[in-house]
Protein backbone atom coordinates (compact mmCIF):
# COMPACT_ATOMS: atom_id res chain seq x y z
CA UNK A 1 0.00 0.00 0.00
CA UNK A 2 1.28 3.43 -0.92
CA UNK A 3 1.16 6.11 1.71
CA UNK A 4 2.84 8.40 4.19
CA UNK A 5 3.98 7.20 7.58
CA UNK A 6 4.97 9.32 10.55
CA UNK A 7 6.58 8.17 13.75
CA UNK A 8 6.23 8.25 16.60
CA UNK A 9 2.52 8.89 17.02
CA UNK A 10 3.08 10.52 20.42
CA UNK A 11 6.30 12.16 21.60
CA UNK A 12 7.19 13.74 24.90
CA UNK A 13 10.09 16.13 25.19
CA UNK A 14 11.81 17.68 28.16
CA UNK A 15 12.68 21.33 27.93
CA UNK A 16 16.08 21.88 26.33
CA UNK A 17 16.01 18.65 24.31
CA UNK A 18 16.09 18.29 20.56
CA UNK A 19 13.72 15.71 19.11
CA UNK A 20 13.35 14.35 15.59
CA UNK A 21 10.06 13.43 13.94
CA UNK A 22 10.14 10.91 11.14
CA UNK A 23 8.23 11.14 7.85
CA UNK A 24 8.48 8.53 5.09
CA UNK A 25 6.50 8.20 1.85
CA UNK A 26 6.39 5.50 -0.81
CA UNK A 27 4.22 7.42 -3.25
CA UNK A 28 7.21 8.46 -5.37
CA UNK A 29 6.31 12.09 -4.71
CA UNK A 30 8.94 14.73 -5.32
CA UNK A 31 7.73 17.29 -2.79
CA UNK A 32 7.38 16.93 0.97
CA UNK A 33 6.12 19.33 3.61
CA UNK A 34 5.95 19.81 7.37
CA UNK A 35 3.05 21.61 9.04
CA UNK A 36 2.26 22.50 12.60
CA UNK A 37 -1.31 22.56 13.95
CA UNK A 38 -2.23 24.16 17.27
CA UNK A 39 -5.57 23.39 18.94
CA UNK A 40 -8.52 24.94 17.15
CA UNK A 41 -6.37 26.38 14.40
CA UNK A 42 -5.40 25.72 10.83
CA UNK A 43 -2.10 24.36 9.61
CA UNK A 44 1.03 26.48 9.31
CA UNK A 45 3.90 25.55 7.01
CA UNK A 46 7.27 24.93 8.69
CA UNK A 47 9.53 23.70 5.86
CA UNK A 48 9.09 22.18 2.43
CA UNK A 49 11.26 20.42 -0.10
CA UNK A 50 10.62 19.94 -3.80
CA UNK A 51 13.76 17.95 -4.57
CA UNK A 52 16.38 15.88 -2.78
CA UNK A 53 19.09 17.90 -1.02
CA UNK A 54 17.08 21.12 -1.25
CA UNK A 55 14.49 22.65 1.07
CA UNK A 56 12.92 26.03 1.83
CA UNK A 57 11.65 27.72 4.95
CA UNK A 58 7.93 28.07 5.37
CA UNK A 59 6.08 30.59 7.47
CA UNK A 60 7.26 29.41 10.92
CA UNK A 61 10.72 27.82 10.43
CA UNK A 62 12.42 29.30 13.51
CA UNK A 63 13.44 26.61 15.98
CA UNK A 64 13.09 23.78 13.45
CA UNK A 65 15.48 22.06 11.05
CA UNK A 66 15.03 19.50 8.28
CA UNK A 67 17.05 17.37 5.88
CA UNK A 68 16.19 15.71 2.58
CA UNK A 69 18.87 13.15 1.82
CA UNK A 70 16.47 10.68 0.22
CA UNK A 71 13.36 11.21 -1.88
CA UNK A 72 11.33 9.06 0.48
CA UNK A 73 12.30 10.72 3.76
CA UNK A 74 11.95 14.20 5.24
CA UNK A 75 12.72 14.22 9.00
CA UNK A 76 11.95 17.27 11.13
CA UNK A 77 14.04 18.20 14.16
CA UNK A 78 12.44 20.36 16.81
CA UNK A 79 15.30 22.12 18.53
CA UNK A 80 15.53 23.63 21.98
CA UNK A 81 15.28 27.03 20.30
CA UNK A 82 11.59 26.38 19.59
CA UNK A 83 10.00 27.96 22.63
CA UNK A 84 6.52 26.48 22.37
CA UNK A 85 6.76 23.19 20.50
CA UNK A 86 3.68 21.46 21.92
CA UNK A 87 1.49 20.85 18.87
CA UNK A 88 0.27 18.33 16.31
CA UNK A 89 2.80 17.92 13.47
CA UNK A 90 1.68 16.78 10.05
CA UNK A 91 3.84 15.71 7.15
CA UNK A 92 2.54 15.82 3.59
CA UNK A 93 3.75 15.00 0.11
CA UNK A 94 2.77 15.80 -3.45
CA UNK A 95 3.88 15.40 -7.02
CA UNK A 96 5.34 18.56 -8.54
CA UNK A 97 3.10 19.46 -11.42
CA UNK A 98 1.40 22.63 -12.54
CA UNK A 99 -1.66 20.62 -13.42
CA UNK A 100 -2.23 18.89 -10.16
CA UNK A 101 -0.25 18.93 -6.96
CA UNK A 102 -2.70 17.97 -4.29
CA UNK A 103 -1.02 17.30 -0.97
CA UNK A 104 -1.58 14.04 0.85
CA UNK A 105 -1.10 13.94 4.60
CA UNK A 106 0.40 11.46 7.02
CA UNK A 107 -1.30 10.47 10.31
CA UNK A 108 0.60 13.05 12.38
CA UNK A 109 2.80 13.17 15.48
CA UNK A 110 1.55 14.78 18.66
CA UNK A 111 4.45 16.43 20.52
CA UNK A 112 4.15 17.45 24.15
CA UNK A 113 6.77 19.33 26.15
CA UNK A 114 6.93 18.23 29.77
CA UNK B 1 0.87 38.18 2.67
CA UNK B 2 -1.85 35.74 1.69
CA UNK B 3 -4.72 35.52 4.16
CA UNK B 4 -7.42 32.87 4.06
CA UNK B 5 -10.60 33.38 6.05
CA UNK B 6 -13.36 30.89 6.62
CA UNK B 7 -16.80 31.51 7.98
CA UNK B 8 -18.47 30.45 10.00
CA UNK B 9 -15.81 28.98 12.31
CA UNK B 10 -18.40 26.95 14.18
CA UNK B 11 -21.55 25.51 12.67
CA UNK B 12 -24.20 23.44 14.38
CA UNK B 13 -26.96 22.16 12.18
CA UNK B 14 -29.72 19.60 12.16
CA UNK B 15 -29.74 16.53 10.00
CA UNK B 16 -31.51 17.11 6.73
CA UNK B 17 -30.70 20.81 6.52
CA UNK B 18 -28.57 22.63 3.94
CA UNK B 19 -25.78 25.06 4.64
CA UNK B 20 -22.78 26.75 3.03
CA UNK B 21 -19.26 27.33 4.34
CA UNK B 22 -17.38 30.27 2.83
CA UNK B 23 -13.66 30.64 2.15
CA UNK B 24 -12.28 34.07 1.20
CA UNK B 25 -8.68 34.73 0.28
CA UNK B 26 -6.72 37.93 -0.15
CA UNK B 27 -4.48 37.54 -3.21
CA UNK B 28 -4.80 36.12 -6.69
CA UNK B 29 -4.77 32.35 -6.91
CA UNK B 30 -6.47 29.83 -9.13
CA UNK B 31 -5.92 26.75 -7.01
CA UNK B 32 -7.91 25.96 -3.92
CA UNK B 33 -8.30 22.79 -1.88
CA UNK B 34 -10.84 21.55 0.64
CA UNK B 35 -9.86 19.09 3.38
CA UNK B 36 -11.73 17.30 6.13
CA UNK B 37 -10.29 16.55 9.57
CA UNK B 38 -11.89 14.29 12.17
CA UNK B 39 -10.94 14.91 15.83
CA UNK B 40 -7.38 13.83 16.57
CA UNK B 41 -6.87 12.64 13.01
CA UNK B 42 -5.02 13.76 9.91
CA UNK B 43 -6.41 15.64 6.92
CA UNK B 44 -8.38 13.95 4.16
CA UNK B 45 -8.52 15.58 0.74
CA UNK B 46 -12.06 16.38 -0.42
CA UNK B 47 -11.81 18.63 -3.47
CA UNK B 48 -9.21 20.20 -5.72
CA UNK B 49 -10.42 23.31 -7.59
CA UNK B 50 -8.02 24.41 -10.30
CA UNK B 51 -9.79 27.09 -12.33
CA UNK B 52 -12.33 29.85 -12.18
CA UNK B 53 -15.86 28.49 -12.18
CA UNK B 54 -14.77 25.00 -11.13
CA UNK B 55 -17.49 23.01 -9.42
CA UNK B 56 -17.03 19.57 -7.91
CA UNK B 57 -19.49 17.34 -6.09
CA UNK B 58 -19.08 14.26 -3.96
CA UNK B 59 -22.11 12.89 -2.20
CA UNK B 60 -23.73 15.61 -0.07
CA UNK B 61 -20.83 18.05 -0.54
CA UNK B 62 -20.34 20.45 -3.43
CA UNK B 63 -17.44 22.89 -3.77
CA UNK B 64 -17.08 25.84 -6.14
CA UNK B 65 -14.44 28.45 -6.93
CA UNK B 66 -14.83 32.06 -8.09
CA UNK B 67 -11.30 33.41 -8.60
CA UNK B 68 -12.52 36.90 -9.49
CA UNK B 69 -14.31 37.23 -6.16
CA UNK B 70 -11.51 35.27 -4.41
CA UNK B 71 -14.19 33.06 -2.91
CA UNK B 72 -14.82 29.36 -2.60
CA UNK B 73 -17.90 27.75 -1.12
CA UNK B 74 -18.52 24.31 0.33
CA UNK B 75 -22.23 23.51 0.20
CA UNK B 76 -23.73 20.80 2.35
CA UNK B 77 -27.00 19.25 1.20
CA UNK B 78 -29.29 17.33 3.55
CA UNK B 79 -26.65 16.99 6.25
CA UNK B 80 -26.11 13.71 8.07
CA UNK B 81 -24.29 13.05 11.35
CA UNK B 82 -21.32 11.45 9.55
CA UNK B 83 -20.44 14.84 8.07
CA UNK B 84 -19.52 16.16 11.53
CA UNK B 85 -15.84 17.20 11.27
CA UNK B 86 -13.65 20.25 10.79
CA UNK B 87 -13.38 21.49 7.21
CA UNK B 88 -10.39 23.46 5.97
CA UNK B 89 -9.86 25.37 2.78
CA UNK B 90 -6.31 25.98 1.57
CA UNK B 91 -5.04 28.29 -1.13
CA UNK B 92 -1.92 27.72 -3.21
CA UNK B 93 0.08 30.87 -3.81
CA UNK B 94 2.78 29.39 -5.97
CA UNK B 95 2.71 29.09 -9.76
CA UNK B 96 4.45 25.73 -9.67
CA UNK B 97 4.83 23.20 -6.97
CA UNK B 98 2.63 23.78 -3.98
CA UNK B 99 2.74 26.05 -0.97
CA UNK B 100 -0.56 26.09 0.86
CA UNK B 101 -2.01 28.66 3.21
CA UNK B 102 -4.84 27.24 5.30
CA UNK B 103 -7.93 28.85 6.73
CA UNK B 104 -8.72 28.41 10.43
CA UNK B 105 -11.22 25.68 9.74
CA UNK B 106 -14.98 25.35 10.20
CA UNK B 107 -16.04 22.96 12.94
CA UNK B 108 -19.27 21.36 11.78
CA UNK B 109 -21.58 19.48 14.13
CA UNK B 110 -24.63 17.76 12.66
CA UNK B 111 -27.24 16.95 15.29
CA UNK B 112 -29.79 14.14 14.89
Amino acid sequence: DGGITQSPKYLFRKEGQNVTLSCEQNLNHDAMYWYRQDPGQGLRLIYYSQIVNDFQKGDIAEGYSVSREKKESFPLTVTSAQKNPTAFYLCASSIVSAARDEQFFGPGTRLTVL
Amino acid sequence: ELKVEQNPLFLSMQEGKNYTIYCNYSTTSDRLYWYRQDPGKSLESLFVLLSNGAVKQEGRLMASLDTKARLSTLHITAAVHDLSATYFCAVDKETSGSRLTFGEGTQLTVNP
Side-chain angles (χ1 to χ4, degrees):
Chain A
D1 280 325
I4 304 171
T5 57
Q6 291 185 242
S7 63
K9 186 174 181 180
Y10 299 97
L11 184 57
F12 298 91
R13 190 194 95 168
K14 294 181 181 179
E15 287 196 21
Q17 280 185 333
N18 292 353
V19 291
T20 297
L21 284 58
S22 170
C23 178
E24 305 274 334
Q25 55 96 3
N26 61 4
L27 300 168
N28 200 31
H29 285 171
D30 294 301
M32 297 185 75
Y33 313 81
W34 274 106
Y35 292 92
R36 169 182 172 140
Q37 186 179 32
D38 292 285
Q41 297 187 29
L43 279 66
R44 292 182 290 168
L45 182 64
I46 305 172
Y47 269 99
Y48 65 108
S49 167
Q50 295 191 330
I51 194 169
V52 173
N53 292 324
D54 188 41
F55 48 82
Q56 287 76 42
K57 293 182 178 179
D59 300 315
I60 55 164
E62 186 175 350
Y64 300 97
S65 65
V66 293
S67 62
R68 187 88 187 275
E69 296 177 0
K70 299 186 299 182
K71 186 176 183 178
E72 301 80 16
S73 178
F74 192 40
L76 173 75
T77 297
V78 184
T79 74
S80 57
Q82 172 49 238
K83 297 305 178 190
N84 185 21
T86 295
F88 189 42
Y89 290 86
L90 287 158
C91 177
S93 70
S94 71
I95 60 173
V96 179
S97 160
R100 178 183 174 87
D101 36 33
E102 176 183 4
Q103 292 185 20
F104 296 90
F105 286 81
T109 293
R110 197 166 297 277
L111 173 62
T112 303
V113 173
L114 302 174
Chain B
E1 180 189 351
L2 173 60
K3 293 190 186 300
V4 181
E5 294 183 347
Q6 290 182 233
N7 74 85
L9 298 182
F10 299 93
L11 176 56
S12 180
M13 56 191 298
Q14 284 187 312
E15 281 190 327
K17 299 292 186 182
N18 304 333
Y19 208 84
T20 299
I21 299 170
Y22 297 89
C23 174
N24 290 91
Y25 53 98
S26 61
T27 63
T28 301
S29 174
D30 59 2
R31 291 189 290 189
L32 190 139
Y33 306 80
W34 283 97
Y35 288 90
R36 169 183 171 144
Q37 185 179 38
D38 292 299
K41 303 293 186 182
S42 186
L43 271 68
E44 172 191 354
S45 178
L46 292 175
F47 300 108
V48 180
L49 303 170
L50 298 177
S51 61
N52 186 41
V55 177
K56 292 198 174 178
Q57 183 164 4
E58 180 74 32
R60 301 174 187 275
L61 300 177
M62 183 173 71
S64 65
L65 178 61
D66 181 342
T67 58
K68 294 179 181 178
R70 299 178 186 168
L71 171 69
S72 180
T73 61
L74 180 65
H75 187 72
I76 303 155
T77 302
V80 293
H81 179 69
D82 284 351
L83 289 179
S84 296
T86 299
Y87 294 85
F88 292 96
C89 65
V91 177
D92 192 339
K93 57 185 177 181
E94 298 292 316
T95 55
S96 65
S98 181
R99 178 170 174 162
L100 300 182
T101 298
F102 282 79
E104 290 182 66
T106 296
Q107 187 175 318
L108 171 65
T109 303
V110 181
N111 302 304

